[in-house]
């Protein structure tokens, strides 16, 4: 069963979207729940995205992609 890696819905209140600035793991990498997997940047704040569960990461959004609150940027299987 896969778990979605989601853009936080509580981004800085004025920001509706963010840019994927980096993936800190490769597609297909094994991660532990709570480990840092990606970074997003809004106009004002950089966000660190943690793995929601342990497993293998599948990247769906690439670096420089613009994403909105609640978008799925990857999964952990």
């Amino acid at each position: 069963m896969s778990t979605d890696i989601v853009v936080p819905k509580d981004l800085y209140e004025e920001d509706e979207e963010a840019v994927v600035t980096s993936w800190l793991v490769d597609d297909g990498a094994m991660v532990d729940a709570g480990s840092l997997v990606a970074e997003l940047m809004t106009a004002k704040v950089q966000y660190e995205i943690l793995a929601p569960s342990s497993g293998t990461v599948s990247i769906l959004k690439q670096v420089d992609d613009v994403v909105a609150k609640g978008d799925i940027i990857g999964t952990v299987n």
Side-chain angles (χ1 to χ4, degrees), residues 30-47:
M30 292 293 295
V31 296
D32 292 323
S35 61
L36 188 59
V37 294
E39 294 177 324
L40 305 176
M41 185 71 176
T42 68
K44 300 183 188 249
V45 179
Q46 177 125 3
Y47 285 87

Side-chain angles (χ1 to χ4, degrees), residues 18-70:
V19 175
V20 178
T21 55
S22 65
W23 278 97
L24 304 173
V25 298
D26 294 325
D27 193 46
M30 292 293 295
V31 296
D32 292 323
S35 61
L36 188 59
V37 294
E39 294 177 324
L40 305 176
M41 185 71 176
T42 68
K44 300 183 188 249
V45 179
Q46 177 125 3
Y47 285 87
E48 294 179 335
I49 306 300
L50 305 177
S53 61
S54 297
T56 304
V57 173
S58 295
I59 294 173
L60 301 177
K61 299 289 184 179
Q62 302 302 313
V63 171
D64 295 329
D65 283 355
V66 176
V67 294
K69 293 177 180 180

